[in-house]
Each structure stands twice: as C-alpha cells, then as structure tokens.
Amino acid sequence: MLLVPQFSMIAFAAMLEPLRAANRLSGRELYAWSLYSGDGARVAASNGIGIDVDGALEDCPDAELLVVCAGLDPLRGVTDRRIHAQLRRLARRGATVGAVSTGSFLLAEAGLLDGRRCTVHWEYAPTFRARHPRLDLVEDLYVIDGPVFCGSGGTAGLDLMLRFVEREHGSELALRVAEQFIHPRIRADADRQRMDLSSRYGLHHGKLVAVIRAMQSALERPLDMTALGRRAGLSPRQVERLFRRHLQVSPRRFYRRIRLEHGRTLLIQTAAPIVEVAAACGFESPSHFSRAYRGEFARTPSEERGRVARHAAGRRRAGRPAPVLG
C-alpha cells in the first residue's frame, strides 16, 4: 500500500483489516502486506496520526497488488513522475493496481485509468472531472476494471476487499469476515456512495424527491420552477407548497443553496478562477455569485479561499495536516 500524505485513516483500515481477519479466521496466512511512501519517510494521516512505512515505493518488490491510499489533499504529489513510473512498472509486471479515496487522482495522472471506468470519493468528483474530463468516472461504490480498481473511500474499502476475499477464497470466508466487523451486507460495486435523497432529507414524498434530483442534475444551467415541476408532474404552485410543507423553505432558496454548496466545493478543492466557479453553479456574473455566497456562508468567495490558504499554511508550519474545513 502506497500512503499519500493526509491519507484517510478509515479508508486505510477498511482495506487492511479484512485481510487480517481473513488470516485469523482461516487459520492461515492468506495475505501479507507492506507499506510504502513516495520517499520512504513516515506519513501522517488526515487525523494527524503518523504511520511508519517499510520503505520508498521504488524499493517495493514485485507485488500481486498495490493500493494507493490518499485523502484530504487529492493533488498532493500527483505530478510526481517517479511515482508514476513505479506504478506503471508494477502494472507492466502483472500487478493489480488500485486506489482508494482520492488515490484515483494519482492513477489517472499515471495514465492507468485511460480507457477504464473509475470512481473517486463523491466530494472530490467535481475536481476529478475538471482535471480528467475524458475519463469514465462513475458514482459507484467501487470499480474493478480488469487489473485496475478504484474504491471511493470511507468504508467502501471493506466491501471491495471482501469481494477479493470472496473471489480468491470463497463466499463463506468473506461472509465470516463481514460478520466479524458487524457488516450485515456486503455491498455491490454499483451501490451508490451517498445516501438516497429520501434518507438524506428525511423525505417520503416521491415527487418532491424527483424535483430535488432534477435540481442536482442542473447546476450550471438552472431550471425554472415550471421545468422542475414538469420533471415530477407538478405545477409550480404545487412545487412551492411541497417545499414549504416538507422542508420549510422555498424551492428557489433550496435550489440556490445546492448551487452555492457546489460552488464552495469548487472554491476549496480547485484553483479555478472565481468567474468559472460562478458559471459552474449557474450564476450570471461573479458579483452575483459573490453576493449570494456571502448571504449563505457569511464570507465572500475570495475570503473563503483566503481562509483555506491560511489554515493550510498554519498547519504546514506546525507540521500538521490541513483540517477538514466546515
């Protein structure tokens, strides 16, 4: 496993623990693993915990499988040609090469996702699409495409590795491992990463959910209330009533909030000019976007970026990884 600075600890554990449990429950050493970093130095996870590694990636012997584990800083080291060369070397020698969380960025930069389906943690999907518009990015929990795989992060690695255990040692052992972790269902690759809209918003009205889904699919070119209602067989007045009754907010305010949250993600994760971010979330001008953004988050887009930069610089000076900004 290649650990990238600020890697996700939960994604890391979710990939390794099923293998440890498979060894324990089978009474045999079915799996062995080692850890590497780009330079062989200790790596800090996003929660600040440091992990010692066995060496630099260039010292990694031929392996059956290599996983790139990243996290909060998806662009950290993605242009390191030495790492690209090592990943391609392992792939040429027959290793299965994969990624978890934002490790997909490194695989993409190394050219290992060309012509393949891939996935990444949902929070970083907009950044990934902007950087690699030609790649076939899907929203699946995980993707296995020949000798290359991607896990979206979080607990998805558990399901991904259970799939490997099942394929190599049978479903009975995979189910025993799942039960060991109180994991009642081994999720399929096509399962979605995020909660369905009904669960996320506590809704049980199918037509209201359909309107929200239409909003989420049209951020760059917002739909008017007539078009949104048409998607669910509702009139504009019915749309208004449903939002106020079930969500205590007008549909226009709700829609604007979704677009602004998308803009916030782009501001934090990308270096795109504010004018491009404004356009990507359906605002006619940067000034309109800035006013709406300040009304929602109590700071302007420029102030948001400055805040992120100051936090990151402060954490680097203190030798700590950058925090998740809420």
Side-chain angles (χ1 to χ4, degrees):
M1 182 171 282
L2 171 64
L3 300 182
V4 178
Q6 296 194 41
F7 68 91
S8 165
M9 184 64 78
I10 192 169
F12 169 67
M15 295 293 288
L16 284 187
E17 284 295 280
L19 306 185
R20 177 195 62 78
N23 287 352
R24 174 172 172 264
L25 294 173
S26 68
R28 296 183 291 148
E29 189 181 49
L30 303 177
Y31 299 99
W33 50 87
S34 52
L35 307 178
Y36 296 89
S37 64
D39 58 4
R42 195 174 202 229
V43 186
S46 59
N47 60 9
I49 296 175
I51 299 291
D52 291 324
V53 298
D54 297 289
L57 184 61
E58 62 185 5
D59 301 323
C60 177
D62 292 346
E64 292 184 22
L65 185 148
L66 176 81
V67 185
V68 179
C69 183
L72 291 186
D73 193 352
L75 302 183
R76 180 78 170 266
V78 295
T79 58
D80 190 326
R81 294 184 179 180
R82 295 174 302 170
I83 293 180
H84 297 171
Q86 294 301 322
L87 293 175
R88 290 193 290 265
R89 173 183 67 84
L90 289 167
R92 283 196 304 270
R93 295 189 178 184
T96 296
V97 179
V100 63
S101 190
T102 60
S104 300
F105 281 85
L106 240 174
L107 294 193
E109 295 287 338
L112 296 179
L113 297 181
D114 293 350
R116 301 184 185 277
R117 296 170 69 250
C118 57
T119 193
V120 71
H121 190 284
W122 62 265
E123 185 181 1
Y124 296 91
T127 307
F128 190 94
R129 286 194 178 94
R131 194 173 180 88
H132 302 285
R134 296 184 179 180
L135 292 184
D136 185 10
L137 183 70
V138 297
E139 298 179 1
D140 294 1
L141 196 67
Y142 60 89
V143 172
I144 302 174
D145 191 337
V148 179
F149 66 88
C150 300
S152 57
T155 60
L158 177 57
D159 302 276
L160 174 58
M161 297 314 285
L162 286 170
R163 170 66 69 88
F164 283 125
V165 171
E166 179 182 32
R167 187 169 69 183
E168 295 160 5
H169 302 289
S171 59
E172 181 180 349
L173 179 58
L175 290 170
R176 290 176 65 199
V177 172
E179 286 190 325
Q180 188 73 22
F181 294 113
I182 316 177
H183 195 57
R185 181 176 74 88
I186 300 177
R187 294 174 291 179
D189 51 357
D191 279 15
R192 295 302 181 188
Q193 299 179 29
R194 304 190 73 181
M195 292 181 182
D196 62 69
L197 293 175
S198 297
S199 300
R200 198 184 313 167
Y201 294 109
L203 299 174
H204 302 286
H205 196 292
K207 291 191 174 185
L208 180 54
V209 170
V211 173
I212 296 174
R213 187 173 293 116
M215 289 177 172
Q216 291 185 330
S217 67
L219 300 177
E220 187 172 351
R221 294 181 176 83
L223 302 172
D224 60 27
M225 289 302 112
T226 299
L228 287 169
R230 192 179 298 123
R231 299 286 182 93
L234 298 169
S235 69
R237 182 172 295 183
Q238 288 173 316
V239 172
E240 184 81 25
R241 288 173 180 168
L242 285 174
F243 271 85
R244 292 194 180 279
R245 181 187 308 158
H246 294 277
L247 294 167
Q248 293 76 52
V249 68
S250 74
R252 288 176 179 78
R253 178 65 184 272
F254 188 90
Y255 199 0
R256 185 177 66 174
R257 184 184 302 159
I258 290 176
R259 291 159 50 210
L260 288 169
E261 287 173 349
H262 177 58
R264 183 171 184 264
T265 297
L266 295 177
L267 287 170
I268 291 173
Q269 294 182 12
T270 77
I274 290 176
V275 63
E276 292 182 10
V277 174
C281 37
F283 288 88
E284 296 177 354
S285 67
S287 60
H288 183 198
F289 173 58
S290 183
R291 287 194 300 272
Y293 196 94
R294 184 166 190 163
E296 188 68 34
F297 300 116
R299 51 186 168 270
T300 66
S302 297
E303 289 169 345
E304 184 76 85
R305 279 213 163 135
R307 187 177 75 111
V308 172
R310 288 192 299 274
H311 275 268
R315 301 290 287 194
R316 283 194 297 270
R317 285 194 297 271
R320 301 190 301 269
V324 179
L325 297 177

